Amino acid sequence: VTAIKRLLIVGAGGHAKVVADAAIASRNFELIGFVDDDPLLQGRPILDGLVVLGPTRDLDNWAHELIVVAVGNNADRRRLFTLLSQTGERFATIVHPDASVARETTLGAGSVVFAGVVVNVHAHIGANVILNTAASVDHDSRVGDHAHIAPGAHLAGGCYVGAGTLIGIGAVLLPGRSVGSDVVIGAGAVVVNDLPDRVTAIGVPARAR
Ligand SMILES: CC(C)(COP(=O)(O)OP(=O)(O)OC[C@H]1O[C@@H](n2cnc3c(N)ncnc32)[C@H](O)[C@@H]1OP(=O)(O)O)[C@@H](O)C(=O)NCCC(=O)NCCS
């Protein structure tokens, strides 16, 4: 039996609420509250009466074993994850109980897996990744650190998604396709050809703009 660990959530927006809900549903954590640097959010209740306790710099004021960076924007989430790693924070990996994670997969530190997600056999998910509602990552695929697979997006088997990349809502990668780092794939796009780093690609078939 693993001891329940105290968890602080960094961020207090819509995405943070869903992360909190998944953490509570998993029964693996004692949720302490939220931290956020927006002065207007201080003290505000976010979910289940849990409030924004203070700004990120005051994290140490609230006893905790784990944090998670619950910020949707990939660049902001990467920056906060890197900063807070350097100050010795440890990151929770949160999986909603209604997600299906196959055996012989890996999920990195700070990654979150929402309801309806399927991660299939031999898929490897990096650190600080979002697998959003009902997304799927099929067998032998790899998702780099700080990436976001948005709701209802699907990676076929053997795909690769680079670090910091957003696969938009409902987008699809055909089997074995590779997308570089810091890419944005628009909502509903179908990735038919491999894509390099730092492009935005939209449409069916997806083309870099
Ligand atoms: C592709 C995307 C990044 C473009 O954003 P943007 O640069 O702000 O683009 P705009 O809204 O100004 O639209 C620019 C043009 O692209 C078109 N366009 C925008 N998104 C598109 C998409 N997903 N597929 C096809 N065309 C799209 C617009 O209709 C517009 O066309 P026009 O110039 O002929 O009028 C954005 O629309 C998108 O799809 N983001 C994904 C969001 C997402 O899934 N987030 C996850 C949340 S959980």
Side-chain angles (χ1 to χ4, degrees), residues 66-194:
L66 295 171
I67 67 166
V68 62
V69 183
V71 173
N73 178 275
N74 286 355
D76 292 340
R77 194 173 64 262
R78 182 203 300 246
R79 180 177 53 75
L80 282 163
F81 181 91
T82 305
L83 184 77
L84 295 167
S85 304
Q86 287 159 357
T87 61
E89 296 289 344
R90 296 174 65 84
F91 295 86
T93 301
I94 297 171
V95 180
H96 192 285
D98 296 330
S100 169
V101 180
R103 61 196 101 245
E104 299 185 6
T105 55
T106 53
L107 291 173
S111 290
V112 297
V113 180
F114 289 171
V117 166
V118 177
V119 179
N120 224 327
V121 178
H122 293 168
H124 296 286
I125 313 297
N128 200 33
V129 168
I130 302 170
L131 300 184
N132 218 318
T133 310
S136 67
V137 177
D138 227 293
H139 63 87
D140 304 294
S141 287
R142 286 190 300 143
V143 177
D145 298 344
H146 321 294
H148 177 180
I149 314 299
H154 298 300
L155 276 54
C159 289
Y160 173 81
V161 171
T165 285
L166 168 66
I167 307 294
I169 299 177
V172 169
L173 271 63
L174 295 192
R177 299 312 192 268
S178 170
V179 171
S181 302
D182 300 312
V183 166
V184 174
I185 301 295
V190 177
V191 175
V192 170
N193 301 118
D194 292 354

Side-chain angles (χ1 to χ4, degrees), residues 51-72:
V51 303
V52 179
L53 299 164
T56 314
R57 66 171 180 277
D58 291 345
L59 264 178
D60 284 345
N61 289 0
W62 302 282
H64 62 280
E65 284 78 38
L66 295 171
I67 67 166
V68 62
V69 183
V71 173

